């Protein structure tokens, strides 16, 4: 079974930092594209960061320069370092994995974690 388990969410003050972790099992982690997505109340799920197997990354403009995704293939883990947090960053953050070159599933990702809540106070 493939499992993705997020951790590290919580309540932080605006301007603060938080580091999310995602532990993966049941996959050949080093071969997978990994991503962080978030969904805020009343909003659609959106991409936060993506990292492919060679380590290259992608960020939307909304978080570029503030968030950093990284992976540790030896630990089967992916991380999201969030700095300069804003109240609008408040959302449930999800870890996702794509097992191959392309996926036909939602957002092009094959598996999802259950999410971790990040709340940024103003």
């Amino acid at each position: 079974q493939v499992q993705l388990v997020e951790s590290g969410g919580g309540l932080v003050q605006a301007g603060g930092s938080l580091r999310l972790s995602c532990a993966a099992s049941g996959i050949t982690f080093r071969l997978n594209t990994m991503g962080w997505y978030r969904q805020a109340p009343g909003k659609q799920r959106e991409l936060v960061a993506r990292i492919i197997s060679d380590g290259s990354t992608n960020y939307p403009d909304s978080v570029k320069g503030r968030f950093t995704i990284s992976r540790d293939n030896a630990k089967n883990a992916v991380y999201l370092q969030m700095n300069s947090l804003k109240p609008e960053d408040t959302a449930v953050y999800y870890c996702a994995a794509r097992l191959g070159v392309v996926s036909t599933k939602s957002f092009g990702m094959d598996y999802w974690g259950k999410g971790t809540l990040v709340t940024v106070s103003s």
Side-chain angles (χ1 to χ4, degrees), residues 33-39 44-51 57-64 67 69 80 93-94 96 98 107 109 112:
T33 292
M34 303 297 296
W36 286 97
Y37 297 75
R38 68 186 181 188
Q39 189 164 22
Q44 297 183 39
R45 190 169 298 187
E46 63 178 351
L47 174 70
V48 176
R50 184 168 54 225
I51 184 166
T57 58
N58 180 261
Y59 306 91
D61 290 341
S62 60
V63 307
K64 188 174 294 184
F67 291 8
I69 188 171
L80 184 68
Y93 284 71
Y94 298 90
R98 183 171 69 239
F107 297 95
M109 306 298 276
W112 297 83

Side-chain angles (χ1 to χ4, degrees), residues 15-80:
S17 298
L18 201 63
R19 182 176 174 87
L20 305 183
S21 299
C22 174
S25 62
I27 60 174
T28 305
F29 185 83
R30 65 180 179 86
L31 302 178
N32 299 133
T33 292
M34 303 297 296
W36 286 97
Y37 297 75
R38 68 186 181 188
Q39 189 164 22
K43 300 287 187 178
Q44 297 183 39
R45 190 169 298 187
E46 63 178 351
L47 174 70
V48 176
R50 184 168 54 225
I51 184 166
I52 62 176
S53 59
D54 68 357
S56 61
T57 58
N58 180 261
Y59 306 91
D61 290 341
S62 60
V63 307
K64 188 174 294 184
R66 298 190 299 121
F67 291 8
T68 302
I69 188 171
S70 61
R71 64 192 298 160
D72 187 335
N73 291 338
K75 296 180 179 179
N76 285 4
V78 62
Y79 308 96
L80 184 68

